[in-house]
Amino acid sequence: MRGGESNQGRGWLVTFSDMVLIILVFFIMLFSISNVDAQRFQALSESFSGTSIMDELSSITEFEDEQIEQLVDEEEEVDHFTEVKDYIDEYLIEHDLGDMIQTIQDDRGITLILQEQLLFNSGEALILSEAKPFLDQIVSILKGIPDYYIEVEGHTDNRPIETYRYPSNWELSGARASSVIRYITERSEMVEPGRFRATGYADTRPLVPNDSRENMQKNRRVVVMITDRTTTDENQ
């Protein structure tokens, strides 16, 4: 009887040893998992060893500052153009030129549209005598805004031209733009020639379809573009 009781009394040792073995395995698993996480953390740390987070934040901040500065510059530029347009509109009203010159403001600057019949005979680029007092007013306007560049554009309708002097509308439109610039720069030393550029567009940029005499007349024009950028920038 005592031998059987002795064997039954030691039975708990088997259960205890099994429990200890399970706990040991559990802690071994925990240790192995924590070791992998440590390795991953080490690898992640080494990936940032060449560049600090503060450097990254600094780069982002500098980019945002540049974007804000660019937006401020663009807003100031629009404000400057608005002031210039107000000045021109007031001048045109004071000198009864509102019906002769159309002013438009866009992202390029201020546009003055002069109709052909005010300046030239049909098919010619010689400025009419009666147009000179009118152009003198343009000279006065440009003298009042000395810090801007001016591009003068010549435009025609789509009727072909072929003369000894002007073989096509390209030559005619370019000659008209050049004639206006030459007159303006010769009339005043205060209007520097270096501010100007002449461009002939022929019939490639019509305001309206060339399907009537009235529309063709609108398309035959000289455009004076006032901008604070040279005409070789990205907007061209």
Side-chain angles (χ1 to χ4, degrees), residues 1-18:
M1 293 295 293
R2 290 181 180 178
E5 290 176 358
S6 175
N7 290 333
Q8 290 178 357
R10 294 192 186 94
W12 66 271
L13 290 174
V14 176
T15 303
F16 178 76
S17 63
D18 290 341

Side-chain angles (χ1 to χ4, degrees), residues 96-228:
D96 296 325
L97 298 172
D99 296 334
M100 305 173 69
I101 303 176
Q102 180 183 0
T103 61
I104 299 173
Q105 179 179 350
D106 58 22
D107 57 350
R108 294 175 61 198
I110 309 298
T111 300
L112 308 181
I113 299 178
L114 319 178
Q115 294 302 317
E116 173 212 47
Q117 65 270 22
L118 296 175
L119 304 174
F120 310 103
N121 284 323
S122 179
E124 296 293 337
L126 181 64
I127 294 175
L128 297 172
S129 298
E130 53 268 31
K132 293 179 179 180
F134 168 73
L135 285 178
D136 288 340
Q137 302 293 343
I138 301 296
V139 173
S140 297
I141 291 174
L142 298 180
K143 286 166 60 177
I145 47 175
D147 298 326
Y148 292 83
Y149 293 94
I150 299 99
E151 178 181 359
V152 180
E153 305 172 351
H155 299 266
T156 68
D157 58 31
N158 65 346
R159 293 179 302 174
I161 182 175
E162 186 176 355
T163 66
Y164 173 78
R165 185 172 297 176
Y166 310 114
S168 72
N169 282 321
W170 290 106
E171 287 81 9
L172 177 61
S173 60
R176 286 178 169 177
S178 299
S179 292
V180 171
I181 291 178
R182 183 172 64 251
Y183 181 85
I184 291 174
T185 55
E186 289 177 352
R187 293 292 291 177
S188 175
E189 294 181 356
M190 294 181 64
V191 183
E192 301 87 352
R195 295 168 58 192
F196 288 84
R197 178 169 180 157
T199 307
Y201 287 107
D203 62 331
T204 62
R205 299 190 179 186
L207 292 176
V208 291
N210 286 291
D211 54 8
S212 67
R213 294 178 62 87
E214 291 76 14
N215 283 356
M216 287 183 178
Q217 181 174 305
K218 292 179 181 179
N219 290 329
R220 297 192 301 269
R221 67 198 187 279
V222 170
V223 171
V224 179
M225 169 65 64
I226 301 168
T227 177
D228 66 351

